[in-house]
């Protein structure tokens, strides 16, 4: 939902973005509200991060030592802002490619005075590879990613063996990957990928899925899924060494 009519100095130049293969997202055009534009223009210089900034020292970035959680694809940012506000002792980094969502989150974060939140408007895989330190994160969140339901598009799903291996390398021992989807075939795909990936432990006490943890806010996707009669599936896996 990026909007080419808004001229904002945000990190989307091809020179600063290393190329990779199949994308798990499609950039779509969309209008920007005044609040979203304000977030990108006025708040971005303070809370925005760039791929070109390189590897981050997270203690220096946030000015403290604290638990660190990354959310990939935060959409319009409501869930992530709520988490940052209700967990001030945890530092959050959001990654999203769509300008309206980034702008809205930045605007809300500024209005709520949040100091424990930073944002990338970049490809998440490139941020994980080039910007986040090895064994530096306590958790990674992936809530309601595009399920790419058509079989010919399954290769676009972000949850693939290479992705979970990369996430694992950025987690501390015992760190967690929390995924949620309202698309059951994608949940099954996630479970299959994680079961085959080395160095992970499923935290579910029974079966594959876990009940929605209290720390994950309800999202519009979850409410939509309930109205449509869909289940919502949470999977939490921990990095397991030894």
């Amino acid at each position: 939902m990026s909007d080419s009519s808004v001229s904002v100095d945000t990190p989307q130049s091809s020179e600063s973005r290393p190329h990779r293969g199949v994308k798990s997202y499609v950039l779509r055009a969309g209008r920007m509200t005044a609040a979203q534009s304000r977030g990108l223009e006025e708040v971005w210089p303070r809370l925005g991060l760039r791929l070109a900034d390189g590897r981050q020292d997270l203690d220096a970035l946030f000015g403290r030592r604290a638990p660190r959680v990354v959310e990939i694809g935060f959409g319009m940012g409501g869930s992530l802002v709520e988490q940052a506000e209700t967990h001030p002792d945890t530092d959050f980094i959001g990654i999203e490619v769509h300008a309206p969502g980034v702008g809205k989150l930045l605007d809300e974060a500024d209005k709520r005075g949040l100091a424990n939140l930073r944002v990338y408007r970049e490809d998440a895989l490139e941020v994980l590879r080039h910007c986040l330190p090895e064994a530096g994160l306590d958790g990674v969140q992936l809530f309601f990613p595009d399920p790419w339901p058509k079989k010919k598009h399954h290769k676009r799903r972000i949850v693939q063996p290479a992705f979970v291996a990369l996430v694992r390398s950025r987690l501390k021992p015992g760190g967690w990957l929390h995924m949620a989807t309202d698309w059951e075939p994608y949940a099954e795909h996630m479970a299959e990928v994680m079961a085959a990936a080395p160095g992970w432990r499923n935290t579910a006490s029974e079966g594959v899925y876990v009940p929605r943890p209290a720390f994950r806010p309800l999202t519009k996707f979850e409410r939509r899924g309930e109205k449509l009669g869909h289940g919502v599936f949470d999977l939490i896996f921990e990095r397991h060494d030894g």
Side-chain angles (χ1 to χ4, degrees), residues 129-141:
R129 288 189 187 111
H130 301 293
C131 301
L132 299 180
E134 292 188 11
L137 304 177
D138 294 86
V140 172
Q141 302 177 162

Side-chain angles (χ1 to χ4, degrees), residues 1-3 12 17 23-30 96-100 121 148:
M1 293 186 294
S2 62
D3 189 278
Q12 288 293 295
R17 186 174 63 250
K23 299 287 187 184
S24 63
Y25 58 86
V26 174
L27 288 172
R28 295 174 293 274
E96 175 59 62
V97 294
H98 299 294
R121 187 185 165 204
W148 294 102

Side-chain angles (χ1 to χ4, degrees), residues 49-68:
L49 300 172
R50 301 170 179 275
L51 194 62
D53 295 338
R55 192 79 63 196
Q56 294 287 346
D57 179 333
L58 298 182
D59 290 351
L61 177 65
F62 288 99
R64 64 176 183 176
R65 183 167 295 178
R68 305 274 157 64

Side-chain angles (χ1 to χ4, degrees), residues 4-206:
S4 59
S5 66
V6 179
S7 179
V8 181
D9 187 17
T10 54
Q12 288 293 295
S13 67
S14 59
E15 292 82 5
S16 68
R17 186 174 63 250
H19 174 74
R20 72 173 179 88
V22 176
K23 299 287 187 184
S24 63
Y25 58 86
V26 174
L27 288 172
R28 295 174 293 274
R31 293 184 178 277
M32 300 284 292
T33 68
Q36 291 164 358
S37 295
R38 173 188 173 274
L40 288 171
E41 294 166 1
E42 298 181 18
V43 187
W44 174 267
R46 182 162 50 87
L47 300 184
L49 300 172
R50 301 170 179 275
L51 194 62
D53 295 338
R55 192 79 63 196
Q56 294 287 346
D57 179 333
L58 298 182
D59 290 351
L61 177 65
F62 288 99
R64 64 176 183 176
R65 183 167 295 178
R68 305 274 157 64
V69 174
V70 167
E71 181 164 336
I72 296 171
F74 57 74
M76 299 308 287
S79 172
L80 183 55
V81 165
E82 183 176 337
Q83 287 188 79
E85 187 170 44
T86 56
H87 299 86
D89 295 330
T90 297
D91 294 328
F92 293 87
I93 297 174
I95 308 173
E96 175 59 62
V97 294
H98 299 294
V102 173
K104 183 173 177 59
L105 179 138
L106 289 169
D107 180 63
E108 283 295 321
D110 182 62
K111 288 176 177 175
R112 302 185 191 199
L114 301 180
N116 61 331
L117 180 60
R118 299 293 187 275
V119 183
Y120 281 97
R121 187 185 165 204
E122 297 279 5
D123 183 313
L125 296 187
E126 300 303 329
V127 173
L128 288 170
R129 288 189 187 111
H130 301 293
C131 301
L132 299 180
E134 292 188 11
L137 304 177
D138 294 86
V140 172
Q141 302 177 162
L142 180 68
F143 297 156
F144 304 97
D146 193 325
W148 294 102
K150 293 182 180 179
K151 187 173 182 179
K152 67 179 181 179
H153 292 153
H154 285 185
K155 62 185 178 182
R156 290 185 174 272
R157 290 174 170 175
I158 190 171
V159 180
Q160 306 288 352
F163 168 75
V164 299
L166 178 59
V167 169
R168 185 183 181 278
S169 73
R170 296 315 187 245
L171 290 173
K172 298 175 182 178
W176 45 265
L177 169 60
H178 181 186
M179 298 176 287
T181 180
D182 63 345
W183 191 262
E184 187 170 9
Y186 198 12
E188 294 169 351
H189 170 84
M190 291 173 173
E192 290 172 2
V193 171
M194 296 305 296
W200 293 97
R201 183 182 71 85
N202 192 342
T203 65
S205 57
E206 295 182 7

